[in-house]
Amino acid sequence: MATEGKIDPMHQFEVQPIFDGFTLFGQQISFTNSALWMFIVLGCLYVFMMGGMKRELVPGRWQIMVEGVVGFVDNIIATSIGPNGKKYTPWVFTLFMFILFSNLLGMMPFGIIPGIHPFTVTSQFTVTGLLAAISFSIVLIVGFWKHGFKFFSLFIPHGTPIPMIPLIFMVELLSFLVRPFSLALRLFVAMIAGHILIKVFANFVIQSLDAGGASLLVAILSIIFIAFVSALELLVCAIQAYVFALLTSLYINDAENLH
């Protein structure tokens, strides 16, 4: 948003109601820009997957692309969990694709179209936190369902001296409980930091153009920097989706194989 020649870098993260929905337990439930872009992400995902699942004898480029992504996620699971990881493929694949598409759509220059304001849903901690909470719940359910109370042995490394067991147990347990927060925070911070940086330098461009004269050099340098950061952010979008899927697989592996 530009006001008096300035850009508010935090405006892009504001969750704003599009229209009011209904009241639940005294709270107004509204359809927001965040919910809208989640539906857009899901729609794009549906088109992407359906377009690549024709199962043609001679696969086209789209089918090869979809099969490549599926194979990539399968490889993550096979490497991290092993043969028993096949049953977790739907969730890990959903995580990877949802985060990837959410990140990329938030980087698209839809803002040049009047009335359209792109929204990065993964820049909201409630979204990344929910994804991390579901992954962590799967870890706990699998761990206790498969191993019972033996699951607590995960917090006592093999060969730990008996006098050190209580201390090591508490340290490992605390580290385990922090996992969902670090998982959610990593993605949230990566997305919000890059977007703020781009907006700040966009503000430099506007201020320099308004000032004119020698300040035009600052505007040119800012535009070059924005282009560089934008290219870097596209790479970060893919890396963050990969890291989230990989860490989820590793955490599930701890519960599945109890190392």
Side-chain angles (χ1 to χ4, degrees), residues 48-126:
F48 176 75
M49 294 303 300
M50 290 299 103
M53 295 180 67
K54 297 179 180 179
R55 303 187 179 218
E56 297 177 348
L57 184 60
V58 180
R61 295 179 181 178
W62 200 326
Q63 183 176 336
I64 291 175
M65 185 165 52
V66 172
E67 290 177 353
V69 175
V70 174
F72 177 73
V73 176
D74 275 340
N75 184 61
I76 293 176
I77 294 173
T79 303
S80 303
I81 305 176
N84 295 331
K86 282 289 184 183
K87 54 181 172 288
Y88 305 108
T89 300
W91 172 242
V92 178
F93 181 78
T94 300
L95 270 180
F96 177 78
M97 295 300 292
F98 178 79
I99 293 173
L100 178 63
F101 272 62
S102 297
N103 293 349
L104 292 177
L105 283 174
M107 287 296 300
M108 295 298 103
F110 298 125
I112 62 176
I113 303 174
I116 297 181
H117 303 283
F119 186 88
T120 309
V121 297
T122 45
S123 66
Q124 301 296 309
F125 188 73
T126 52

Side-chain angles (χ1 to χ4, degrees), residues 27-200:
Q27 298 293 324
Q28 181 68 38
I29 307 299
S30 303
F31 187 79
T32 65
N33 54 344
S34 178
L36 173 63
W37 280 90
M38 285 186 196
F39 278 110
I40 293 176
V41 169
L42 293 177
C44 292
L45 271 174
Y46 179 82
V47 171
F48 176 75
M49 294 303 300
M50 290 299 103
M53 295 180 67
K54 297 179 180 179
R55 303 187 179 218
E56 297 177 348
L57 184 60
V58 180
R61 295 179 181 178
W62 200 326
Q63 183 176 336
I64 291 175
M65 185 165 52
V66 172
E67 290 177 353
V69 175
V70 174
F72 177 73
V73 176
D74 275 340
N75 184 61
I76 293 176
I77 294 173
T79 303
S80 303
I81 305 176
N84 295 331
K86 282 289 184 183
K87 54 181 172 288
Y88 305 108
T89 300
W91 172 242
V92 178
F93 181 78
T94 300
L95 270 180
F96 177 78
M97 295 300 292
F98 178 79
I99 293 173
L100 178 63
F101 272 62
S102 297
N103 293 349
L104 292 177
L105 283 174
M107 287 296 300
M108 295 298 103
F110 298 125
I112 62 176
I113 303 174
I116 297 181
H117 303 283
F119 186 88
T120 309
V121 297
T122 45
S123 66
Q124 301 296 309
F125 188 73
T126 52
V127 175
T128 62
L130 179 60
L131 296 177
I134 295 175
S135 296
F136 194 64
S137 298
I138 293 174
V139 171
L140 293 177
I141 292 171
V142 171
F144 284 110
W145 181 272
K146 189 170 183 178
H147 305 287
F149 288 107
K150 189 181 177 182
F151 179 63
F152 287 108
S153 65
L154 177 67
F155 311 126
I156 305 176
H158 181 70
T160 302
I162 294 179
M164 294 292 294
I165 287 179
L167 177 61
I168 296 299
F169 177 85
M170 294 304 299
V171 171
E172 290 291 328
L173 178 61
L174 180 61
S175 175
F176 179 80
L177 294 177
V178 168
R179 285 180 176 181
F181 298 100
S182 63
L183 194 62
L185 196 61
R186 184 183 295 106
L187 175 59
F188 160 72
V189 170
M191 289 299 100
I192 199 172
H195 284 64
I196 289 177
L197 193 59
I198 292 174
K199 287 290 186 179
V200 168

